[in-house]
Amino acid sequence: MSADIKYVKRRVSHHAQHSGYDILFSFMEIENARSSFFNNLLSIIPASLKWRLYRLRPQAVLEQGLIPELNALPFTMFGKQRLCHFIYGEDTFFYTPLWANKHCKLVATYHYPEELLIERVNPAVIRVLDAVVIVSTSQKAYFHRFLDCNKIHFIPHHVDTGFFQPPENRKNMAEIRVISIGSLLRNGQLLRDIINHIGALENDTPVYFDLVIPKSKHPDYAGLKNVTLHSGISDDDLRLLYQRATVGFMPLTNCTANNGILEMMAC
């Protein structure tokens, strides 16, 4: 008998519609573990109860992680020959071991480096997983503390190359454009120092920077020479910035996988 496979979806707000781990599951036509009836029921949970659930276990993303997990409860609690994949284990896999039945296989993907996994993940819930998917081999040692190696599976990150593609005609531009995106686990000081350093040079070819960052980070780059700040742009506009860039620059402090790097390479 084949297994009924579904996944727990958590959409990260700053990801483009063609970015993010859930894109792979949509491509494979795997359904979200969510019931309309139960979702409506969850909408009336008092805010005070939600707050207590956030505090009881370390859900850094609060309701964005709690509600998708509760939505999957009917799927993981009832039925047989089921497999449920929590594609953001750091954010959505906390309470399920309390109610999941023995006929439901539990799988979770984890994205953070070890330093953040220690802060965000309860080892007790890792031990009940039937499998863990990691996006970097650097995570393997951490999960091997709690699971046998045969339950840990490395699957490289991915990018939608049907959307992120090189331009049809790349022009020989008389300028250099550098693109950098995001703010999480980024070395913002290094980026500012390099912008200042290049801005002070006497270059025959002008160098411009396109920074795609949250609006809350705009003051960090105020007054810097040849910098254009972008926030909340469309997928098409993001692709255009990639395609017209000469180089992508991502000063990371730590990471396992990164959408932006793959998107830049694809374009």
Side-chain angles (χ1 to χ4, degrees):
M1 182 184 297
S2 61
D4 182 8
I5 302 173
K6 291 188 179 181
Y7 76 103
V8 176
K9 180 177 182 176
R10 181 196 168 232
R11 187 67 195 166
V12 180
S13 59
H14 64 266
H15 282 172
Q17 289 302 308
H18 294 272
S19 306
Y21 202 70
D22 56 309
I23 295 297
L24 177 61
F25 289 79
S26 299
F27 179 77
M28 297 171 65
E29 298 183 345
I30 296 176
E31 294 182 358
N32 185 13
R34 177 183 181 275
S35 79
S36 298
F37 171 78
F38 207 71
N39 187 60
N40 291 333
L41 188 64
L42 292 175
S43 66
I44 62 174
I45 293 180
S48 58
L49 176 57
K50 291 179 184 177
W51 182 85
R52 284 169 173 79
L53 291 172
Y54 305 151
R55 300 291 294 177
L56 187 60
R57 297 199 176 189
Q59 283 181 291
V61 295
L62 306 181
E63 188 170 342
Q64 293 179 41
L66 176 66
I67 298 304
E69 181 175 22
L70 294 180
N71 247 316
L73 187 153
F75 182 76
T76 56
M77 180 179 283
F78 306 108
K80 296 183 179 181
Q81 296 295 109
R82 290 183 169 181
L83 186 151
C84 191
H85 191 149
F86 297 77
I87 63 172
Y88 284 94
E90 301 97 333
D91 302 333
T92 63
F93 189 71
F94 293 86
Y95 290 100
T96 299
L98 299 177
W99 56 68
N101 76 56
K102 63 181 181 181
H103 301 292
C104 184
K105 299 293 185 182
L106 302 174
V107 180
T109 295
Y110 291 89
H111 304 258
Y112 279 117
E114 181 174 353
E115 294 84 352
L116 291 182
L117 289 172
I118 292 171
E119 298 175 1
R120 297 279 289 270
V121 179
N122 182 347
V125 302
I126 296 176
R127 291 188 176 98
V128 306
L129 286 166
D130 295 285
V132 161
V133 175
I134 56 177
V135 295
S136 169
T137 54
S138 64
Q139 300 167 288
K140 189 170 184 177
Y142 172 82
F143 287 104
H144 188 39
R145 300 178 200 172
F146 316 111
L147 294 173
D148 292 337
C149 280
N150 62 0
K151 291 187 174 183
I152 304 171
H153 306 275
F154 166 56
I155 300 178
H157 217 36
H158 56 271
V159 63
D160 181 357
T161 54
F163 182 80
F164 292 107
Q165 299 178 338
E168 292 184 4
N169 298 302
R170 187 179 294 279
K171 299 178 180 178
N172 292 322
M173 295 178 290
E175 63 184 23
I176 295 173
R177 300 205 71 94
V178 181
I179 184 169
S180 188
I181 74 167
S183 61
L184 180 64
L185 299 178
R186 309 293 203 273
N187 190 333
Q189 184 60 56
L190 177 60
L191 178 58
R192 290 192 293 274
D193 289 346
I194 287 178
I195 292 172
N196 276 321
H197 177 71
I198 291 178
L201 298 176
E202 294 183 4
N203 297 310
D204 293 333
T205 304
V207 181
Y208 299 96
F209 291 83
D210 288 299
L211 308 185
V212 185
I213 57 175
K215 283 189 176 181
S216 61
K217 298 293 183 180
H218 283 201
D220 295 346
Y221 301 91
L224 294 182
K225 184 179 178 181
N226 293 339
V227 172
T228 303
L229 303 175
H230 309 266
S231 296
I233 61 177
S234 69
D235 289 15
D236 289 336
D237 287 341
L238 176 63
R239 179 175 58 184
L240 182 60
L241 288 177
Y242 285 144
Q243 290 176 339
R244 76 175 185 177
T246 314
V247 64
F249 178 57
M250 298 288 282
L252 300 166
T253 57
N254 200 350
C255 79
T256 55
N258 187 284
N259 283 330
I261 292 175
L262 295 180
E263 292 165 1
M264 291 173 184
M265 292 171 66
C267 290

